Amino acid sequence: MPTINWPMIHRAYAPLFCAGLAGMYMKYCLIETYRTGITRSHGVESLMEMSMLTAASYFSLDIIVNFLFVPGVTLLFAFTLFRRKAHILATLVSCALVSFYFVELWAQQNLGQYVSLVMLLEGAQFAQTDWRMAADYVSAVFVLKLVLTLTATATSFVMIPVLANALSMKWIKNAGKYSLGAFSVAMAVLAISAYPSNPNGLRQDAVRKAITAAFSRTQDSPITRVSTDESILAFRQLTTTPTEIADSNMAGVESGSNLLYFIMETGPADVLPEGDPSELIPRELIQHALVARQHQTTYPYTSDALFSILTGLYPDGRREVVARGGFKQHRPLFSQLRGAGYLTAAYLPVISKGEADDTMLGQFGIDKVFVAQRHQQLELPESRRTLDEATKLFIEIVRASPHFDGTRKEWMMWRLWNDLRCLDQMKTDMRSAIRSGKKFANVFLPLIGHGPWLRVGESIEVRAHGRYLMKLQSLWLQEVVDLLREEKALGNTVIVMTADHGIRSAREDPDFKAGTLDSYSFHVPLVMFAPSAFKKTFEVQRVTSHVDIDFSVARLLGLRADLGTTQGYPLWVDAGARRVYFFAEAYGGADGYHQGGYFMRNAITETYFQNSRMEFSSSSSQILHAVKQEDVANALADFKRIHRGLLP
């Protein structure tokens, strides 16, 4: 019978033990994030008031996975293949696990959810676009913690022979032989004694949750092959959306008008006084505009929000739609405008290498996609003038911002220059189109408001910085209005001003409530200037969505006679008790909807909440009982099943 080489086993187990500690820390941080929900579910004021066995039940599966299962499988594999070099493989596996745990821990603490490998890849490509964008999200402290943990893990196996040589007494050496076995038995006894009766939600181990998220399909759900007509009818029945439109007086009232979508980056309405967007809109526009006071994005991610604005559909399946070459039956508004002879264009400072936004825009009917970063010809007089303007504006902002972070000067200058080049190019194209007697439909997407917000303005409050940047972008909207007035085209131009989304990570604002649906992330301003349709300010107080914009504009321009395959509804028509969905599971850890109140499912804890407003982190939100939980779960599952039928 072969003898067991305990020193070699201990040496190989040491780095795996370090990785196990990292896995346990990941679970501890998860429990800390949701401690309020845990205490409320157990009817106590703090975690310390819970019994030891109840508290241990939240870590039982983590003990099994981190100290028994993962090390056991790894050691068996390592000693089978490498024998005396098993500790090297164990160390490599441990370092890989620690790196994975740290990345997922960062995601959970900042976004509220462990992220998929697809999103991690997109994040890496996002960083390649410009390193300064990555530096906004990954702190030096995070990198230092990771490096120190990896160093400890990689060198831990060295300590075993050192300790063995240091311990000269025979009985200590004999005790050390069996320490790993004793530790394993102790961990098994503890885990079994505290094993939860219902191993779901927070009682499930964090490692499994992270791995499940890593290999998920992001927000894309499986395709259900049914006809488009059946799917749209089922969707309207599910959401109680009317199938008829009682607004015949609005159809085509802006026929032949130009169109401009002015979409601010990271512009939550919550930073504005009482959420009122009036201060962002030139007075001559607000007097002939629809103002939606409870407008919501569909997803706190730019590409997904843009998908909804341009198609009138929720963004589940966006990546697959773009990968397949666009829609086969559904005709987005810009595609119709292009067919009607409009000059269609989009102006973006930059496109992340991880996204195919230029491809998506082209598929949806936009012929010209101007990306400022791809046009760096400083020798052109126009580029030099724009650079001078950006420099002047930069100096003005810094002088007015006593708390500005000097290390971000280059970053702000880069943003300003690219935004102004997009603005100048768009204004040039608009003037040319007007003077040549052609109609235009443009999308303008400035970057200056991208979070984390620059510390601009006099205040030290984060929300004040966001408001300052939104007001800065509104000055650019005023420039466009001035041009249209000069060219006598303002009266036949529809202008839609909104934002892609709000704050969506703790790095952008520590007040961000990770793992919930929150108005700070979803509530965005929406103003639709349509001078022939609205003779005075028309305020909408009910909940509206980005999916409503495409159809509403198409209706005003006379391009839609019925709802077709859109999931939206005219902004100015009361849709009754229509259900409006919000999705953020892959980028925030929660999904939900509004229908007579707000309902939310937290993906990590697998708990369901209800509240009268979009805010679920306070005691005002109610944890739903089992029957109502099933209703919400079915409402979310049915949406995904039905929605996918619209995409093939």
Side-chain angles (χ1 to χ4, degrees), residues 435-512:
R435 293 182 177 181
S436 62
K438 296 183 178 180
K439 299 298 180 182
F440 64 81
N442 294 338
V443 180
F444 180 58
L445 295 154
L447 186 65
I448 191 65
H450 197 288
W453 290 319
L454 297 159
R455 297 178 192 170
V456 289
E458 297 181 355
S459 176
I460 61 172
E461 297 293 328
V462 174
R463 294 190 181 216
H465 302 155
R467 182 183 177 191
Y468 184 102
L469 291 169
M470 292 175 75
K471 293 178 72 173
L472 172 63
Q473 294 169 81
S474 73
L475 297 178
W476 300 340
L477 176 58
Q478 180 67 65
E479 288 189 33
V480 176
V481 171
D482 292 342
L483 180 149
L484 292 170
R485 191 193 313 106
E486 291 170 7
E487 299 294 333
K488 297 180 173 52
L490 184 60
N492 65 333
T493 300
V494 173
I495 300 176
V496 178
M497 190 285 295
T498 187
D500 52 0
H501 53 73
I503 289 295
R504 70 271 178 84
S505 80
R507 284 287 293 168
E508 294 179 346
D509 188 343
D511 286 341
F512 169 73

Side-chain angles (χ1 to χ4, degrees), residues 95 98-99 102 139-155:
C95 288
V98 167
S99 300
F102 260 74
S139 67
V141 174
F142 168 81
V143 175
L144 179 61
K145 284 183 178 180
L146 176 58
V147 170
L148 291 176
T149 305
L150 285 174
T151 301
T153 302
T155 59

Side-chain angles (χ1 to χ4, degrees), residues 376-441:
Q376 302 283 358
Q377 300 94 336
L378 272 177
E379 67 276 5
L380 297 179
E382 295 81 1
S383 296
R384 174 58 63 185
R385 183 180 66 248
T386 304
L387 180 59
D388 292 340
E389 292 173 358
T391 303
K392 181 180 177 181
L393 180 57
F394 167 80
I395 294 172
E396 291 176 359
I397 294 173
V398 172
R399 284 177 177 173
S401 307
H403 306 286
F404 184 76
D405 182 359
T407 63
R408 306 191 72 192
K409 286 183 177 181
E410 183 183 356
W411 183 207
M412 184 171 77
M413 185 62 196
W414 181 81
R415 288 188 185 183
L416 284 173
W417 184 39
N418 283 322
D419 280 353
L420 289 177
R421 284 196 299 148
C422 287
L423 180 65
D424 280 359
Q425 184 65 51
M426 183 176 72
K427 288 166 60 179
T428 299
D429 292 347
M430 290 169 63
R431 195 184 302 273
S432 174
I434 294 170
R435 293 182 177 181
S436 62
K438 296 183 178 180
K439 299 298 180 182
F440 64 81

